[in-house]
Amino acid sequence: MILPITVYGNTILRKVGKEIDENYVGLKELIDNMFETMYKAEGVGLAAPQVNKSIRLIVIDATPFAEDDPSLKDFKKAILNPEILELTGEEELFNEGCLSLPGIREDVQRPTKVKIRYQDENFNTYEEVWEGLKARVIQHEYDHLEGTLFVDRISAIKRRLIHGKLSAIAKGKHIPNYRIIQNK
Ligand code: NI
């Protein structure tokens, strides 16, 4: 089932998500729905707050980029309760977009290497080091679980320049081609 996506101005995007465990009801179905929703909206990653659930769950599918980066060939995952243990490597600018910020793209500076601990959909725990696009996507999605959006990570001047676009989204004057949930 395709779920509506929360957009800028919706307060759930500013909340810190709660950890989940085996008792979370309907987890498999939610994960399936999040993948379906992400594919429909042509995203690479989607965090639960973007489908109106304040929990620590992310889905990622970066396999379309495997042509450029073979390490992404199998990079399709549901990620539960992630913890960023270490950020290293050079800082790099990369042009980011977000399904909760339709029509906005900005260069965002982030470290290129991340050490992460997370659980899969069966609650097996992994500790891994991710680089490149993997590191980029997980940092962006992890931010969603902390109530942070990529526009918080650009300069005040750049943010002022897109202020009009942001308020248009919050006021429902900019509607993308997927279903959304606005302010509440
Ligand atoms: Ni996003």
Side-chain angles (χ1 to χ4, degrees):
M1 188 173 73
I2 291 163
L3 306 169
I5 294 177
T6 54
V7 291
Y8 185 83
N10 190 309
T11 52
I12 201 163
L13 292 173
R14 293 313 197 172
K15 286 186 186 152
V16 175
K18 291 197 175 66
E19 289 207 353
I20 49 173
D21 61 24
E22 289 92 336
N23 299 319
Y24 189 86
V25 176
L27 180 62
K28 281 253 153 46
E29 192 185 358
L30 177 60
I31 290 171
D32 287 348
N33 290 343
M34 283 176 65
F35 273 115
E36 199 181 338
T37 303
M38 179 182 79
Y39 293 136
K40 180 74 172 39
E42 297 179 1
V44 177
L46 190 68
Q50 297 182 275
V51 292
N52 214 25
K53 305 269 186 209
S54 194
I55 55 171
R56 301 183 84 75
L57 167 64
I58 290 165
V59 297
I60 292 177
D61 187 349
T63 56
F65 297 96
E67 263 180 46
D68 301 325
D69 177 352
S71 77
L72 299 171
K73 194 165 69 77
D74 302 315
F75 199 62
K76 178 189 171 182
K77 282 173 188 300
I79 294 165
L80 284 67
N81 303 318
E83 291 168 77
I84 289 184
L85 304 174
E86 206 174 62
L87 288 168
T88 52
E90 305 266 299
E91 296 238 327
E92 198 174 75
L93 281 174
F94 186 87
N95 197 252
E96 294 189 20
C98 179
L99 296 175
S100 295
L101 294 157
I104 295 179
R105 296 200 70 92
E106 289 291 334
D107 287 343
V108 182
Q109 190 152 348
R110 300 187 192 266
T112 53
K113 206 168 174 179
V114 53
K115 189 176 183 183
I116 178 188
R117 185 191 294 140
Y118 66 97
Q119 293 170 308
D120 66 12
E121 62 272 40
N122 300 312
F123 292 91
N124 300 308
T125 302
Y126 302 83
E127 210 173 287
E128 293 171 354
V129 175
W130 292 353
E131 294 181 64
L133 193 64
K134 292 182 183 182
R136 173 63 55 167
V137 175
I138 191 62
Q139 287 177 74
H140 176 114
E141 300 308 331
Y142 180 86
D143 271 355
H144 278 298
L145 308 185
E146 295 292 304
T148 300
L149 298 170
F150 80 82
V151 289
D152 303 338
R153 296 189 178 277
I154 61 176
S155 71
I157 295 167
K158 279 191 173 174
R159 211 175 310 120
R160 212 173 305 142
L161 289 172
I162 60 167
H163 178 258
K165 281 189 187 176
L166 290 172
S167 28
I169 296 168
K171 289 176 186 157
K173 290 177 182 162
H174 180 82
I175 312 271
N177 61 357
Y178 41 86
R179 273 203 304 149
I180 59 166
I181 313 177
Q182 285 173 271
N183 293 353
K184 59 152 203 210

